[in-house]
Amino acid sequence: MRDHLLVSTQFDLQQPVAPGRWRVLAPFRSREYRLLIAAVSLSIFAEGMWAVVMALQVIELDNDPTSLSLVATCLGVGLVAFVLVGGLAADRLSQRGIIIVVEAVNTLVVAMVAVLGLVGALQIWHMAVAAAALGIAAAFFFPAYSALLPRILPAEQLLAANGVEGVVRPVFQRAVGPAVAGLVVGATFPSLGAVVVAALFAIGLLLLLAAGKTVKGAAPQQDQQRARLLGDLRDGFVFVLGTPWLLWTLLFASMFVLVVLGPIEVLLPFVVQDRFENGAQTFGFILAFFGMGSALGALGVSSRRLPRRYLSVMMAMWSVGSIPLVVVGVTSSFSLMAAATFVVGVTDGAGMVIWGTLLQRRVPPAMLGRVSSLDFFVSLAFMPVSFAVVGPLSKVVSMEAIFLAAGTAPVVFAAVAMWAAGMRRDEAAHPLN
């Protein structure tokens, strides 16, 4: 069984998993984990602020959805183009070292945007280049972080650890970060928001450096060291292609991203600006409701045992949970829009915790970095397309129609994926409780 191949190397076998609702706190017994999550949390907060700062900075420079499409597309291209390389690096190099380099790049890039903005020299192409650099950095971070967790925590604590990240990420990246950025930019100007983001990245970098070498990964296996890069990548592809639940979930995710991500990332700032006063603050608060929902969804799932029908629950969360996006496209009520994004956040957070746990429980640890990178590559393959198309599309198709498609199409995609992969049979044959 693939899930029996996952071996954690650094934990105390005598420490039981925390029962009941405190199960989510179990990973904090590990000093290595505490240091890692403390450093990464601050960076996640910076990323949350940057999402709003970037959008409002582009709108200030050129109030056109096409310009924001261009910048967002550059970020997506950087991420997708390098995520496979990031996965190979995560299987061969120090995962902690990769995270440190990523943090340094984030600090430098955002600092340059802040300086250019403060001196009045910032242009759209600067934002596009910065977005591409940040996308490339993210391509290395995600596989490294995913591959690092199973090396410092026992298998039974991975659901809780993913739950912690599933709470920290939406709270800081999608709730507190956007809300703070909206308040800062609304009261001042986008470049000052960039200064704050750069400072947060810098502090996160200092925390990672201060951790020294206490966060350790298992030594690479000898056959990994001798394997060729292309051979490693081929093995990852073969594993994904030969694992129906994994393959069809990734195909579903790619279609989901195509119809959902562009409207949320590119069009939502303009919808909020057009329909509400104090657009910057309102945009930040709308994203904050999404983040709070994601945190509650992640916390709810991680505080309990993995659902017996884990694949069915995960797909239902992502597909049915997208339906409230229809409301986002038609309402001019802040309360309704906030409630809709909150529900989408709850289901997104819950599904992501289950998904991250499945990768770590059912993928052999020796190729987890590569499979994680393929996860991002396949599921995000259409992200640049979604970003690039949705801006120009909004000039010929109504916002209401675009968000209608974003809310309903995932239901169809999920039904096809579950049938094609035989997910209900698979989850019954591979219980993880």
Side-chain angles (χ1 to χ4, degrees):
M1 299 294 182
R2 287 186 294 273
D3 48 303
H4 294 302
L5 296 176
L6 186 56
V7 179
S8 299
T9 60
Q10 297 182 24
F11 53 88
D12 186 353
L13 292 174
Q14 303 304 314
Q15 294 186 357
V17 177
R21 69 183 62 183
W22 302 114
R23 182 187 303 271
V24 72
L25 300 180
F28 288 94
R29 294 194 183 98
S30 166
R31 179 174 181 271
E32 291 87 347
Y33 176 77
R34 292 196 302 270
L35 291 169
L36 176 65
I37 197 64
V40 171
S41 296
L42 193 58
S43 302
I44 289 174
F45 177 48
E47 292 171 3
M49 286 194 66
W50 176 250
V52 173
V53 170
M54 181 188 75
L56 297 179
Q57 181 68 81
V58 171
I59 291 173
E60 182 182 81
L61 294 173
D62 185 6
N63 190 21
D64 186 341
T66 302
S67 295
L68 188 52
S69 276
L70 171 64
V71 174
T73 299
C74 289
L75 186 148
V77 169
L79 175 59
V80 173
F82 283 86
V83 73
L84 294 180
V85 180
L88 292 172
D91 283 340
R92 291 171 165 270
L93 305 176
S94 164
Q95 292 98 2
R96 175 182 168 275
I98 292 172
I99 294 173
I100 289 175
V101 172
V102 166
E103 197 72 355
V105 171
N106 290 342
T107 303
L108 179 62
V109 169
V110 178
M112 292 179 64
V113 169
V115 170
L116 289 172
L118 290 173
V119 301
L122 189 63
Q123 300 179 36
I124 290 295
W125 73 267
H126 293 136
M127 295 296 297
V129 172
L134 293 174
I136 293 171
F140 284 85
F141 171 84
F142 289 115
Y145 181 80
S146 296
L148 180 59
L149 280 184
R151 300 189 186 281
I152 64 175
L153 293 174
E156 64 269 19
Q157 291 184 9
L158 291 176
L159 179 64
N162 286 314
V164 171
E165 200 236 350
V167 172
V168 169
R169 183 168 294 279
V171 166
F172 288 125
Q173 186 177 38
R174 300 173 182 173
V176 179
V180 171
L183 292 172
V184 171
V185 175
T188 57
F189 46 90
S191 294
L192 185 59
V195 171
V196 177
V197 172
L200 290 171
F201 276 133
I203 297 172
L205 175 60
L206 292 176
L207 288 174
L208 286 170
L209 293 173
K213 296 185 177 181
T214 54
V215 179
K216 303 174 183 177
Q221 299 177 8
Q222 292 300 315
D223 59 341
Q224 276 187 275
Q225 294 176 335
R226 294 192 295 266
R228 294 178 295 112
L229 288 176
L230 292 179
D232 285 351
L233 189 58
R234 179 201 61 210
D235 292 344
F237 271 109
V238 169
F239 180 81
V240 170
L241 292 174
T243 310
W245 69 266
L246 180 56
L247 173 63
W248 280 96
T249 302
L250 295 183
L251 293 176
F252 161 80
S254 67
M255 293 294 100
F256 180 91
V257 165
L258 178 63
V259 300
V260 170
L261 210 56
I264 292 177
E265 297 289 338
V266 175
L267 298 185
L268 185 58
F270 291 93
V271 169
V272 173
Q273 290 273 19
D274 290 342
R275 298 180 186 175
F276 304 104
E277 296 181 2
N278 303 316
Q281 293 95 328
T282 304
F283 178 51
F285 284 124
I286 289 293
L287 292 185
F289 276 96
F290 178 82
M292 289 186 292
S294 295
L296 289 176
L299 184 62
V301 169
S302 61
S303 297
R304 296 172 173 81
R305 291 184 179 275
L306 195 68
R308 184 172 64 87
R309 290 289 186 178
Y310 49 84
L311 291 172
S312 299
V313 171
M314 179 182 71
M315 297 299 284
M317 289 290 180
W318 285 337
S319 57
V320 178
S322 67
I323 292 176
L325 288 174
V326 176
V327 176
V328 174
V330 299
T331 187
S332 294
S333 165
F334 174 81
S335 298
L336 286 177
M337 188 175 292
T341 55
F342 178 82
V343 172
V344 174
V346 169
T347 54
D348 176 72
M352 287 303 299
V353 170
I354 296 173
W355 174 242
T357 304
L358 292 185
L359 289 180
Q360 293 161 348
R361 294 286 300 274
R362 296 190 62 179
V363 174
M367 63 169 57
L368 184 54
R370 281 165 285 171
V371 172
S372 295
S373 66
L374 286 171
D375 166 22
F376 284 101
F377 178 76
V378 175
S379 61
L380 299 182
F382 290 113
M383 180 174 68
V385 178
S386 183
F387 289 162
V389 168
V390 74
L393 182 64
S394 67
K395 296 183 177 181
V396 296
V397 178
S398 69
M399 294 286 191
E400 292 81 0
I402 292 174
F403 277 94
L404 174 63
T408 56
V411 178
V412 178
F413 298 154
V416 172
M418 291 190 66
W419 172 80
M423 289 188 183
R424 291 186 60 81
R425 294 191 304 272
D426 184 282
E427 62 193 359
H430 299 87
L432 294 180
N433 286 335

